[in-house]
Amino acid sequence: MVRFMKQLTDRSPAEEFALGATGPGSWQARVDRTWRGWTGPHGGVIAALLVEVARRAGGDELPVRAVDLRFLGRPVDGVFTFSATVRPLGRSTAIVDVVARQESGEVAAASITLGRTAPSSVPDRTERPAPEVAASDACAAFRLPPEIVPVGAHFEIRPAAGPLPLTGAAQAWMCAWIAMNPPMIIDAATLAILADALPPGIFPTLSAPIAVPTVAFSMHLHTDFASPAGQPVLVRAANTGTGGGWSVDDIDIWDPTGRLLVSARQTRRVLG
C-alpha cells in the first residue's frame, strides 16, 4: 500500500515536460537540456511524449499495447509540437498515428496501438522470466557521466548483472535496476524512457564511446497497469547483432515482483 500511495504522487512524463493541448488533435511539450542524451534530446523522452499524445487522442480508457516509432530528423532541445490521427478498430482497439515536429520539420513519427483488456480462455504466460539478481539495495550505484550524457542525472542505475559499459568485455549485454529521478509513475510512457536508459548494447565491448543513434524503436506492453508497477524496475539490454554499420538491441523490463512489463527493440546506426 505504501508503494501504491507513493506511485499516485509521482509525476507523469506529461507533467515533467509540460505537455498540453494547443488545439484539436495537436499538443506541445518542452524538453530542456538536462534531458539530452549523447547527441540531442533523449530518444526515450520523445517516445514517451508520443505515447502520452496517443493516450490523450485515443482516450485514456484504452491501455497502450504497442509502439512502433521511427526517427525522421535530428531533434534539438526546446519545444516539440505533436499531431495525432486516431483510427478506431471496432470498440476495443485503436491505432493512433502521432508525428512530432520542430522548426526544422518532422523529427519522429509513431503508430501506437491501444487496446481494451478483455477476458480470455488462454492462460497468462511468459517466456521471459526475470533473471535472478541481487536486490536493488544490494547493488552499487553507477552513474552515466553528466558532462557527456546529461540525461544520466535523471536515472538511478544499479548494475545487477553483466559487464559495465566501455570495459572491453566479450559480452554485449547489461542488466540493472533503474529508477527515475525525479520519480515518475511507472506507466507506458515512463517505460519508453526506461527502455532507452542504458547505453547501446554494444557498449560493454568497447573501450571508448561512439555515436550509435536510434533509427527505429518498438515496444510491446505485457500489462495494462490495472495492478500498479513498483520501482525500481529491472532492465536487461542485449545486443542481438551488429554489422554493416547497423546494430539491434533487445530490451526487457520487469517490476520488482518479477512481472514482465515491456519487451522493446531498437535498431541503431553505428557511426564509428
Side-chain angles (χ1 to χ4, degrees), residues 37-85:
W38 295 97
T39 58
H42 188 252
V45 168
I46 297 172
L49 288 168
L50 290 163
V51 168
E52 288 280 10
V53 167
R55 289 173 56 185
R56 282 158 174 70
D60 285 339
E61 72 278 4
L62 292 179
V64 177
R65 299 297 179 178
V67 178
D68 186 18
L69 182 156
R70 301 293 181 268
F71 289 98
L72 307 175
R74 185 168 180 174
V76 297
D77 309 322
V79 174
F80 289 77
T81 61
F82 303 88
S83 59
T85 302

Side-chain angles (χ1 to χ4, degrees), residues 79-114:
V79 174
F80 289 77
T81 61
F82 303 88
S83 59
T85 302
V86 182
R87 307 180 192 279
L89 301 176
R91 296 182 178 181
S92 63
T93 306
I95 306 297
V96 185
D97 294 326
V98 187
V99 177
R101 296 178 176 87
Q102 293 187 294
E103 290 185 0
S104 61
E106 296 181 357
V107 295
S111 288
I112 296 169
T113 303
L114 310 177

